[in-house]
């Protein structure tokens, strides 16, 4: 498996919940060029995901293009996380991103991403179901070998959406299987890794103390996020997408182990489960699986990234 090219521009594919937004803000704050943002249904239905992204672009002054992608999984279904995250996909203790009718770039996500890869782009940070990426490698198999994909999804142990499956994997298991089969260079940042990097509502204090509407909004969103597991916000809540963003910003922030990765498609109880064979003698590794994170360093990237966005320092 190749090293990630240091400092290279990044394409982000996401389903724009709060942890996706935080991941984008971390990459911006790190000074990394974001070549484009493509959107996929996941945390919420696609129109809500687009509204969230366009509102964030307006608020934070993003200059990169935003492209709408898949509204359903490859099999035509759509699973969202509204039962946990509410209608916007971003639970809040108060303020919400304003509904936004700005139109995304007219170029569809897969075509735009293919164009960027054709022009030499490599690093793709995927933070939602892998539908857009699967459609890309189906349409352009020649591009699969060019991609360096860092994906927040899957789990080496238990799931979150179901007992066995992580949400992004469960929402489109066929997409996970097709991306794996295409031979993409893949780093999987799964639940086991992300559950070691947590926040509580108390982490919103510096944002609450900062001036301005953006700071107040991010404080409310972080508090809402921290209350997902427990209404008090005091029980540590795992960061997901920000851990994958940290891998792109600083590859040394997470330790990876090569292994054979597959995705279960058919089990009644296990659909969307990522199955990992750690024994190379049994099956040749095809992915790098995230293990121990530098939790303190990743929390710092997350909290300083939000603060920089709130105060306009990274704009
Ligand atoms: C993943 O699912 C989504 O709800 C989050 O944004 C994250 O990408 C965690 O299972
Ligand atoms: Ca996500």
């Amino acid at each position: 498996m190749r090293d990630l090219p240091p400092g290279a521009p990044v394409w982000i594919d996401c389903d724009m919940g709060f942890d996706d937004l935080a991941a984008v803000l971390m990459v911006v704050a790190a000074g990394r060029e974001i070549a484009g943002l493509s959107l996929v249904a996941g945390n919420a239905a696609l129109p809500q995901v687009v509204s969230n992204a366009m509102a964030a672009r307006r608020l934070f002054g993003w200059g990169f293009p935003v492209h709408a992608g898949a509204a359903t999984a490859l099999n035509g279904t759509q699973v969202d996380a509204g039962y946990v995250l509410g209608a916007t996909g971003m639970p809040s203790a108060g303020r919400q991103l304003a509904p936004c009718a700005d139109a995304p770039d007219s170029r569809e996500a897969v075509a735009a991403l293919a164009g960027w890869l054709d022009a030499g782009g490599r690093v793709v940070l995927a933070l939602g179901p892998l539908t857009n990426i699967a459609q890309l490698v189906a349409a352009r198999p020649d591009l699969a070998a060019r991609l360096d994909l860092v994906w927040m999804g899957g789990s080496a142990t238990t799931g979150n959406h179901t007992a066995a499956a992580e949400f992004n994997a469960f929402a489109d298991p066929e997409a996970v299987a097709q991306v794996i089969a295409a031979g993409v260079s893949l780093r999987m940042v799964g639940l086991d890794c992300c559950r070691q990097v947590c926040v509580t509502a108390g982490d919103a204090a510096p944002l609450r103390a900062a001036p301005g509407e953006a700071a107040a909004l991010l404080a409310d969103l972080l508090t809402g996020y921290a209350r997902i597991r427990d209404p008090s916000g005091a029980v540590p809540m795992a960061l997901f997408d920000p851990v994958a963003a940290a891998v792109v910003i600083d590859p040394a922030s997470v330790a990876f182990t090569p292994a054979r990765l597959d995705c279960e498609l058919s089990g009644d109880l296990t659909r969307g489960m990522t199955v990992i064979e750690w024994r190379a003698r049994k099956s040749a590794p095809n992915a790098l699986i995230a293990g121990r994170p530098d939790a303190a360093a990743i929390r710092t990237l997350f909290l300083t990234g939000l603060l920089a966005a709130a105060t306009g320092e990274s704009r």
Side-chain angles (χ1 to χ4, degrees), residues 13-21 40 42-43 126-129 152 166-168 240-241:
D13 185 83
C14 78
D15 56 342
M16 208 46 96
F18 171 70
D19 65 329
D20 301 75
L21 172 62
V40 62
N43 280 317
L127 306 172
M152 190 285 124
E166 182 279 331
F167 175 77
N168 291 334
F240 300 114
D241 299 338

Side-chain angles (χ1 to χ4, degrees), residues 51-245:
S51 172
N52 290 352
M54 300 313 290
R57 179 159 87 165
R58 212 175 241 260
L59 180 63
F60 298 109
W62 294 341
F64 43 83
V66 178
H67 305 269
T72 67
L74 294 180
N75 71 359
T77 61
Q78 199 239 314
V79 182
D80 68 45
Y83 70 105
V84 187
L85 304 177
T88 63
M90 292 195 190
S92 175
R95 297 164 186 78
Q96 287 279 5
L97 279 169
C100 183
D102 291 355
D105 195 283
S106 59
R107 208 161 177 214
E108 192 273 331
V110 173
L113 177 51
W116 178 68
L117 293 166
D118 275 330
R122 274 181 56 181
V123 180
V124 175
L125 174 61
L127 306 172
L130 286 179
T131 320
N132 290 337
I133 312 301
Q135 288 178 342
L136 172 86
V137 296
R140 291 286 309 275
D142 58 305
L143 293 177
R146 301 243 196 106
L147 269 176
D148 284 306
L149 184 63
V150 178
W151 175 49
M152 190 285 124
S155 173
T157 55
T158 57
N160 57 359
H161 189 75
T162 68
E166 182 279 331
F167 175 77
N168 291 334
F170 182 87
D172 199 345
E174 281 76 17
V176 180
Q178 290 189 22
V179 168
I180 293 170
V184 169
S185 171
L186 172 61
R187 283 168 174 75
M188 185 186 105
V189 183
L191 294 176
D192 330 271
C193 173
C194 298
R195 284 171 175 150
Q196 300 173 61
V197 187
C198 294
V199 287
T200 65
D203 286 315
L207 289 164
R208 287 230 177 276
E213 260 309 295
L217 169 70
L218 290 174
D220 281 347
L221 292 177
L222 174 52
T223 305
Y225 183 82
R227 289 179 180 166
I228 288 174
R229 277 192 66 194
D230 183 274
S232 74
V235 175
M237 169 71 195
L239 284 177
F240 300 114
D241 299 338
V243 181

